[in-house]
Amino acid sequence: MSDPIDRTIVDPSAAGVDPGKLEALLNRVRPEVEHGPLPSAQLAVARGGRLVAFETWGDADPGTRYILQSVGRSVVAGVVWKLLGEGLLRLDERVAEIIPEFAPNGKEAVTVEHVLTHTAGFPFAPLGHPRMRDRDRRLAAFGRWRLDYPPGTRFQFHLTSAAWLIAEIVERRTGRRFADYLHERVAGPLGLRSLELGVPVERQKDTVAPMIATDRTGEDQEPDPWGAWYLSDPDVLAAGEPSHSLVGTAADVALFYQALEHSGLWRREAVEEGRRMRFAERPAGDELYGGGSKRVGMGLFVTVAGPDAGGNLPSTGSPALYGNSGAAYQLAFLDPETGLSFAWLCNGYPLAGYDLSPWGTALLTEVADLAADLL
């Protein structure tokens, strides 16, 4: 892949994608914007390093960027995989040896791998706005964090705390802020220029789709404090919480997955190690905060389909398929066995953050399964 990436959409049949199945996928999402509750959406499919489809519906255009939320974890993972492949980081390193400020309160045993697999032991460690904007205050918060359970003994999604540590680890090992490293060493060289972390407030209005609650019926309704509403505040989005505040187009997200496999920017062994499933377990915690009844396979900061296709990943792909879903109507993945990558982004969300209604569950399941079964 070269810079700039050729975004010409190739004929689906030439890429081995079934045109009829692709049309069925598009027809599943389109009505939910044109006649349903979603304010806008983007969808992209890629294979062999090229786009096969890129569609935008609703109050948006092809250049509109979406807040990636948990879908952005795959981009964060890609940065870490690059450092691992270049020998700048090891999985068995203790975080406190990289970030001494993190060590207090018995956290010396936490390793890099614990953080990347959501088993570090502090899933709800607090770091809110505006404190998260200041590095010194972030480091002080790291020191105050306490373990809820011993590292490595429980799998529970660390909604924001893991990514803040990852960003600091990247800065310690590269000398660059995470956002700068992403721009200068990954997104920029690949030509994926829509991918950005910490978009300044003055540039958000014309480039980023605003988060819109799909079920707000009165001003007295308060959204869940861990939900997607948080990112509707321009100052919070600009603060650049790495696990959720990345923005980008669906095309660039789908092509990012292609780049992991085809660009040569990553060592092949590092990508294979990053997407290798470490375990498949039911995530602990409330369902609204990432808990669930299905086993979720974990790679290094990506979920892997594995035996149960948990984490809202499709059941129609291979067990090696990996990616991340995002609250509430978002999903991105790549299936290494077929070479197909997919990204579906949306700026609508329920006030609870996740949509666990029968309609929402059916939408997520059907889109995922249609997307992985395009060949």
Side-chain angles (χ1 to χ4, degrees):
M1 304 176 80
S2 59
D3 182 11
I5 285 176
D6 184 356
R7 286 177 173 76
T8 303
I9 298 173
V10 302
D11 180 80
S13 298
V17 171
D18 185 312
K21 291 184 176 182
L22 178 59
E23 188 62 24
L25 169 64
L26 299 177
N27 286 337
R28 183 63 187 90
V29 177
R30 182 187 295 113
E32 304 301 344
V33 177
E34 295 180 347
H35 308 291
L38 306 185
S40 75
Q42 267 186 1
L43 183 152
V45 176
R47 194 174 189 228
R50 301 289 298 277
L51 284 173
V52 175
F54 180 38
E55 298 285 345
T56 304
W57 302 281
D59 188 17
D61 59 56
T64 299
R65 300 188 293 176
Y66 287 79
I67 302 169
L68 301 185
Q69 303 177 76
S70 295
V71 164
R73 287 181 184 157
S74 297
V75 179
V76 175
V79 171
V80 176
W81 298 358
K82 192 170 188 301
L83 268 58
L84 290 168
E86 294 172 356
L88 296 176
L89 188 64
R90 298 192 325 273
L91 293 176
D92 61 355
E93 288 187 86
R94 298 195 175 196
V95 174
E97 295 175 353
I98 304 171
I99 309 171
E101 296 90 338
F102 171 76
N105 297 321
K107 301 192 296 294
E108 299 91 341
V110 175
T111 67
V112 170
E113 187 165 12
H114 288 144
V115 174
L116 294 174
T117 57
H118 299 280
T119 59
F122 42 90
F124 293 111
L127 182 56
H129 188 269
R131 185 172 55 194
M132 65 183 184
R133 297 184 68 103
D134 183 270
R135 187 186 185 196
D136 289 338
R137 298 179 75 181
R138 291 198 299 270
L139 294 174
F142 292 168
R144 290 192 296 270
W145 289 353
R146 296 180 181 275
L147 295 174
D148 294 333
Y149 45 83
T153 63
R154 186 176 182 180
F155 169 42
Q156 185 169 6
F157 282 106
H158 291 45
L159 297 185
T160 65
S161 53
W164 278 121
L165 279 181
I166 292 169
E168 184 63 28
I169 289 169
V170 170
E171 185 163 351
R172 298 281 170 122
R173 287 298 162 87
T174 69
R176 291 175 169 82
R177 293 171 55 249
F178 182 92
D180 295 335
Y181 185 86
L182 173 66
H183 172 71
E184 296 168 9
R185 296 300 181 89
V186 179
L190 293 171
L192 304 176
R193 301 195 182 281
S194 77
L195 297 177
E196 185 179 3
L197 179 66
V199 183
V201 172
E202 62 273 14
R203 287 203 288 109
Q204 292 178 29
K205 183 177 181 181
D206 297 326
T207 68
V208 181
M211 298 300 296
I212 298 174
T214 56
D215 56 354
R216 183 181 291 278
T217 58
E219 291 304 314
D220 58 336
Q221 286 184 287
E222 288 295 328
D224 188 285
W226 287 92
W229 74 273
Y230 196 48
L231 299 169
S232 66
D233 184 329
D235 289 326
V236 171
L237 184 62
E241 185 270 297
S243 208
H244 300 93
S245 295
L246 274 159
V247 304
T249 65
D252 278 3
V253 173
L255 288 169
F256 176 81
Y257 281 97
Q258 293 293 314
L260 286 171
E261 302 288 332
H262 300 297
S263 69
L265 191 64
W266 285 266
R267 286 194 168 91
R268 184 69 188 171
E269 319 85 75
V271 173
E272 291 176 350
E273 182 68 9
R275 55 177 167 80
R276 178 176 66 83
M277 189 176 71
R278 265 67 185 167
F279 56 80
E281 296 180 12
R282 293 177 179 84
D286 190 284
E287 195 171 7
L288 281 174
Y289 309 127
S293 57
K294 274 188 173 184
R295 288 183 296 174
V296 174
M298 277 306 306
L300 297 179
F301 221 55
V302 294
T303 53
V304 183
D308 290 356
N312 291 323
L313 294 182
S315 59
T316 52
S318 77
L321 181 148
Y322 68 95
N324 280 292
S325 64
Y329 314 106
Q330 302 200 132
L331 173 66
F333 64 77
L334 182 138
D335 190 335
E337 293 194 9
T338 65
L340 185 86
S341 62
F342 169 75
W344 170 38
L345 307 178
C346 178
N347 63 325
Y349 67 98
L351 291 169
Y354 291 85
D355 190 339
L356 303 178
S357 70
W359 173 83
T361 301
L363 176 63
L364 292 170
T365 301
E366 290 166 13
V367 170
D369 287 346
L370 286 168
D373 187 32
L374 289 175
L375 304 189

